[in-house]
Amino acid sequence: MESSSAESVDPSLPGTGAPRKPWHGVHKALADPLRIRLWEWLAEAPRSARQLADCAGLPADRLYYHLGQLEQAGLIEVAEYRPLARGKVERVYAPAKTEPPGDDADPEETAAFLGSMLEATAMDITAAYQARRAGRRREVDLHRGALRLTDQALAELRGHIEQLAARFAEPGADGTWTRVVMALADLQDRPDADTPPGSPA
């Protein structure tokens, strides 16, 4: 499941107590649909630039800049160095084991990130429909609707979503990789917590 928010975490490195430098960049690093897809492919399995190039259908040298941006943002790291022929080695990337600190993004960076996430989602949907047209089996479900949710109902819905995500996100589980995008956005201001429902503003 994809999320547009970065959680706040302890600003020190695990086990060291060493403070991190002021950090900005998750939204900026992911403000490109290709980088979102690279990050998602690495979440499925560690891969080299060459393997990621096969996933993207692009030359590997087109990916090094984007991988550098993700690595600099603390989203991915080099998991191992894989030996190749004639004494060469290649980097194998994986998601970073430590979660980056909360991203203090400005509205423009957030908008760019959200636009990239929607573009990456559109690319996945388009690819699925193209595969279906070619006679292959792909499942696609789209739904857009509006619900009236109290604060309690919203909290309950979020709890159900978290439970579903945990249930179907077991590592090593069998099945087909399926992209799930969930968005919850209030269409109007919520009343203050200390204002009873129906009270005049």
Side-chain angles (χ1 to χ4, degrees), residues 71-149:
E71 189 174 8
Q72 183 177 356
L75 291 166
I76 66 172
E77 61 189 6
V78 178
E80 64 173 303
Y81 291 89
R82 182 182 296 158
L84 299 175
R86 294 193 288 271
K88 295 183 177 180
V89 296
E90 66 177 354
R91 295 181 173 189
V92 178
Y93 297 92
K97 295 179 181 178
T98 57
E99 184 179 356
D103 193 358
D104 188 17
D106 59 37
E108 290 77 15
E109 290 173 336
T110 302
F113 162 69
L114 292 175
S116 295
M117 186 171 68
L118 293 174
E119 186 176 343
T121 302
M123 293 166 68
D124 288 335
I125 293 171
T126 299
Y129 277 120
Q130 289 174 341
R132 286 175 61 167
R133 183 177 297 177
R136 303 200 298 274
R137 185 185 171 196
R138 295 283 185 95
E139 297 294 334
V140 184
D141 290 305
L142 298 174
H143 172 75
R144 176 182 167 93
L147 304 173
R148 293 182 65 88
L149 299 173

Side-chain angles (χ1 to χ4, degrees), residues 3-57:
S3 173
S4 63
S5 62
E7 297 289 336
S8 293
V9 299
D10 191 335
S12 61
L13 293 171
T16 66
R20 290 180 184 266
K21 296 179 180 180
W23 192 95
H24 310 277
V26 166
H27 289 77
K28 186 175 181 180
L30 293 177
D32 183 291
L34 177 57
R35 291 200 286 270
I36 290 177
R37 290 162 74 84
L38 291 174
W39 189 35
E40 291 169 344
W41 285 323
L42 291 174
E44 296 172 7
R47 289 181 166 100
S48 66
R50 177 175 48 86
Q51 292 171 314
L52 289 167
D54 291 339
C55 294

